[in-house]
Amino acid sequence: MKLQQLRYIWEVAHHDLNVSATAQVLFTSQPGISKQIRLLEDELGVEIFARSGKHLTHVTQVGETIIAMAGQVLRQVETIKQIAQESSDEQQGDLTIATTHTQARYALPAVITEFRSRFPRVALHMSQGSPTQIAELAATGAVDFAIATEGLEHFADLVMMPCYSWNRCVVVPREHPLIERVARHGPLTLEDIAREPIVTYVFGFTGRSRLDEAFLSQGLEPDVVLTATDTDVIKTYVRLGFGIGIIARMALDTERDQDLVALDASHLFAPSTTHIGFRKGTFLRRYMYDFIERFAPHLTREQVDAAVACRTRAEREALFLGLRLPDR
């Protein structure tokens, strides 16, 4: 059994059983991968992949177990490399992050700018996706850190830590009737918002569940006419007159969005909390601790290590219970 063979079955399984695509990613030949997989199966005496002719059709039951264990071996090998690299040069390496558009566009730029200044020889890679996709990338070791707000039930296998709280605002074009309504009668109500067509986030993104919970609790049905994962898209359609926008307050750019007016809605919706996390067993290099603390100053190395030491999610939540998070 060779490490290369384990890498081949892992990559094939994660490229939809497409050996040709796997070969391109690994810069090798399709026949070479097929031959090594066959040799491994012959050695083990079981089929990892079921076949129809020359094509792989699905992973066998025993193959699923073997591939999962192969993933663990490959991650341990990567950890060994990271330990060695940390010992030889703690200033150089790679850092991969998976997050949503809102975090990548509005929460991370300043952090990454500072981080790059401190660690110029660390290559940064960022992937954007849904909470489910982010969790999968982190759980399989494809990325180092996952940053997300929604769908935390998908992150059960990760060490997730709270970073900051945030809430929402309603954005409207200048001269919109709601502006005068607030000026004359005070803060917005859910009834005010429910009477308007709404442009906001797709369910499962950027705290959308908090919106639905608030309207449901008051027996109101909001008129959501358009949803998007990208805050800039939401603001674009507000400008086009599709409706009022409900966005993360941190996503309002005071310079670029001067044609829009933000009306406070933080009193209407429960705040959301953004978390950062990583796979259990991850070897955290010095610059990884640094990145976490830059993103969330209360997450010092000692606090992160304490979170890692927690045996259960409930233990970890208790560790942060009562902690006052910064607001954005």
Side-chain angles (χ1 to χ4, degrees), residues 30-58:
Q30 180 178 342
I33 290 180
S34 298
K35 178 182 177 181
Q36 289 301 319
I37 291 176
R38 276 296 192 188
L39 287 173
L40 178 60
E41 290 177 324
D42 290 343
E43 180 182 347
L44 297 176
V46 297
E47 278 195 338
I48 297 171
F49 300 103
R51 294 167 174 80
S52 176
K54 294 183 177 180
H55 298 286
L56 306 182
T57 57
H58 64 274

Side-chain angles (χ1 to χ4, degrees), residues 64-232:
E64 290 180 357
T65 303
I66 292 171
I67 289 169
M69 295 186 71
Q72 294 175 18
V73 171
L74 293 171
R75 288 193 289 271
Q76 288 299 318
V77 169
E78 186 60 31
T79 298
I80 292 171
K81 292 179 180 178
Q82 290 176 345
I83 292 172
Q85 190 171 19
E86 180 72 2
S87 178
S88 62
D89 187 353
E90 63 183 22
Q91 300 285 326
Q92 184 175 357
D94 292 272
L95 180 60
T96 55
I97 303 162
T99 189
T100 60
H101 167 84
T102 299
Q103 301 297 328
R105 170 69 177 81
Y106 296 100
L108 284 171
V111 175
I112 288 177
T113 300
E114 292 176 0
F115 179 84
R116 283 286 297 161
S117 177
R118 175 69 180 83
F119 297 98
R121 292 189 294 141
V122 173
L124 283 160
H125 313 277
M126 190 180 302
S127 299
Q128 296 179 44
S130 67
T132 304
Q133 292 167 331
I134 293 167
E136 183 178 355
L137 287 170
T140 59
V143 300
D144 298 308
F145 292 151
I147 299 174
T149 301
E150 289 274 16
L152 293 184
E153 67 275 8
H154 301 299
F155 296 80
D157 294 332
L158 304 181
V159 178
M160 297 298 290
M161 301 170 293
C163 299
Y164 63 87
S165 296
W166 58 270
N167 217 309
R168 296 141 189 87
C169 65
V170 170
V171 290
V172 296
R174 293 191 177 278
E175 309 305 325
H176 191 281
L178 275 184
I179 300 172
E180 185 177 354
R181 153 72 184 81
V182 170
R184 289 191 174 191
H185 303 288
L188 284 173
T189 66
L190 284 175
E191 288 78 7
D192 292 330
I193 296 175
R195 285 193 287 266
E196 301 284 341
I198 297 170
V199 184
T200 192
Y201 300 106
V202 172
F203 187 81
F205 277 79
T206 319
R208 168 64 192 275
S209 59
R210 298 291 195 200
L211 270 68
D212 296 339
E213 290 167 3
F215 286 113
L216 183 62
S217 69
Q218 297 298 314
L220 298 171
E221 186 171 348
D223 181 19
V224 179
V225 297
L226 190 147
T227 61
T229 61
D230 184 326
T231 308
D232 293 329

